[in-house]
């Protein structure tokens, strides 16, 4: 198991990512930091939940809440 | 993974943060302390839950309950 | 991360605290002991759940069930 | 954090305790053994669930299911 | 905390136990093996769930699913 | 606690097992590999969920999702 | 327990896998990386949820959310 999934996501640092949380919230933002628990620090982030959007200059996403994450610049 | 997400949040110490918990509760308060489990100690905190607001001089938020956290002074 | 959130709560030892649990139960009582898992030992405690109050001379609260805790003498 | 919450409960060994579990079950019984995970071994135990009572000569309660526990001889 | 709850249950090895799982399933069977996670290996086991009974020659019960366990020969 | 529950299940390697998952899914398949987390690798597996059957040549079952497992050749 | 379940899945690296998540989401994609927590990095991935399909060039799936995973080229 040479290449690691979190290292792959970490290559998106400085780029936009799209994240789905356990409770259905969807988040986009520029990935600034990532740790081994999948905690993320995002810049210019937006949370979409039940058709309502909220924006944040900086946002910590708790890794425990994350279901999937994807580089969104594709 | 040089920069760490929790260190980024920790820079908001002394400033207001906005937190969403797993059960939908929303909390604002001045961040006084933070540990690696994302436990937080907030001052002048307010919990909003189902349109009801409750204020607390000091409040411990259990990290395990946190979904996202953001510096709210922006 | 010099100051720790649990140390801050621990300063309320001997004083009343207010606790919300994951299932919506609310508890008040005098904090007698606290450990790093946020397990608490309360004296003269009262649980409020669905408008019903139950009192306990001594009460162990399992940390894993705690959402927030606050010194209630304010 | 000198005194520990589980040590306080452990002093009720040989006496009756009252326990609430995550799923709403309520249990009473004489505390015979306790470990750091809050697993308990009770004697002459009774489970109350949805108005139905079941009695057990000996009962292991898994700590992970426990919400609160209290010495009930008060 | 000299005597341990799991050791107490382990004394029922070779005898019947009754187990309630988190999802409401009830299990009886002869306890053959037990580990510190409360994983159990039962012989001649029977699962009761929503009034339906299923029998198993051998059955592994995952400890994480267990709420309570009791020696049932009483 | 000499004999271990997972070792007992491991003796079914090469034979069919029956597994119930937390969400009610039922799985049968030939056990090819098992680890201490109860992760399993099954061959010629079939998942039954809400009366729908799906077959898989090879299947990894995450141990965390497992409620019970049984050798099904009995 | 010589052969390990995750090693078996790891042999599908470079090939398509099919994954079911706890919340019912189904995912297909080419497995690029896998770690011991069952975190996966997929290429050309597609999530199906409530009859809606979404495609991703690259996708991190959090292992904690995984129920089953299978090589889908069979």
């Amino acid at each position: 198991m040479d290449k690691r999934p979190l290292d792959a996501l970490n290559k998106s640092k400085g780029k936009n990512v799209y994240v789905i949380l356990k409770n259905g919230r969807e988040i986009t933002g520029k990935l600034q930091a990532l740790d081994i628990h999948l905690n993320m620090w995002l810049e210019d982030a937006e949370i979409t939940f039940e058709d309502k959007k909220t924006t944040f200059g900086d946002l910590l996403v708790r890794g425990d809440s994350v279901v999937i994450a994807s580089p969104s610049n594709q």
Side-chain angles (χ1 to χ4, degrees), chain A:
Chain A
M1 302 186 185
D2 38 357
K3 194 186 155 189
R4 294 179 301 177
L6 271 63
D7 289 344
L9 181 62
N10 204 37
K11 285 185 185 153
S12 292
K13 218 146 65 178
K15 297 177 187 163
N16 279 322
V17 294
Y18 166 76
V19 180
I20 299 179
L21 300 189
K22 279 180 184 166
N23 57 7
R25 283 184 177 86
E26 294 171 71
I27 300 179
T28 55
K30 195 191 289 182
L31 183 63
Q32 298 295 92
L34 177 69
D35 69 18
I36 57 162
H37 306 291
L38 211 36
N39 294 317
M40 291 180 233
W41 186 258
L42 305 179
E43 203 181 273
D44 296 329
E46 186 179 70
I47 300 182
T48 306
F49 189 47
E50 294 168 353
D51 295 323
K52 189 183 135 194
K53 286 176 191 294
T54 319
T55 58
F56 298 89
D58 292 294
L59 185 71
L60 179 92
V61 179
R62 192 161 186 266
D64 179 57
S65 296
V66 172
V67 175
I68 62 99
S70 173
S72 56
N73 54 343
Q74 36 197 9

